[in-house]
Every structure is written in C-alpha cells, then in structure tokens.
Amino acid sequence: MSELSQAELKRLNNKATFVWIALMFATAIGAFLGSLKTTGVAVVLLSIVVLVVKAQLIVDYFMGLKTVARHWRILMSAYSIVIGAFVFLAYCLSLASSL
C-alpha cells in the first residue's frame, strides 16, 4: 500500500469533516421533524429521505464503499431504502388501524 502525501491526507480529512458536519445537520433536521406537533405523510416522507441520505453518506464515506465493487454499494444502498420503505409501511398501517 502506498503512502499518502500530506496534501492528500488533508483533502481526505477535510472531506470526512464535511461529511460528518452534513450528518450532524441531517440529524438535527430529523430531531426537529420529530419534535413537531404535526404529523402527516409529508413529515414521514421527509424523515425517510433524511434517513436514506444519512445512510448513503455513511456507506460511501465512513464504510468506504464508494470505490468498491458496485454490487456491494448497491446492496448497502438498497438496505437503507428497504428500511425506509418499512418505516413508511408501518406509518400507513398505523393510519389504517386508527380508522
């Protein structure tokens, strides 16, 4: 394995810091959405979008799957989308049972 130059290390650290800040911002958005007294499909869908974006950032940058074989990245991306779909399904089922 080749050694990285100081400039390349700094670039990688800056990118990781930016992604971490984006994750913190997305977490704050999720917390804000959770604290709202309103509910509805729009709030749930926005929360799911935040979940999927955060999962993709983690998969790409912190798990290091951005440059690996495409099937591994697709598998992990699909996982976050499936979880989001189950959350939405649970929400829809809870609406149906309250009628």
Side-chain angles (χ1 to χ4, degrees), residues 29-51:
I29 290 172
F32 174 73
L33 289 172
S35 70
L36 292 177
K37 300 294 182 198
T38 61
T39 60
V41 174
V43 173
V44 172
L45 287 177
L46 187 58
S47 296
I48 292 170
V49 168
V50 170
L51 174 143

Side-chain angles (χ1 to χ4, degrees), residues 2 20-22 27 29 32 37-38 52 58 76-77 79 81 91-92 94:
S2 64
W20 182 79
I21 290 169
T27 300
I29 290 172
F32 174 73
K37 300 294 182 198
T38 61
V52 171
I58 292 168
M76 292 306 294
S77 298
Y79 176 77
I81 292 169
Y91 174 75
C92 290
S94 72

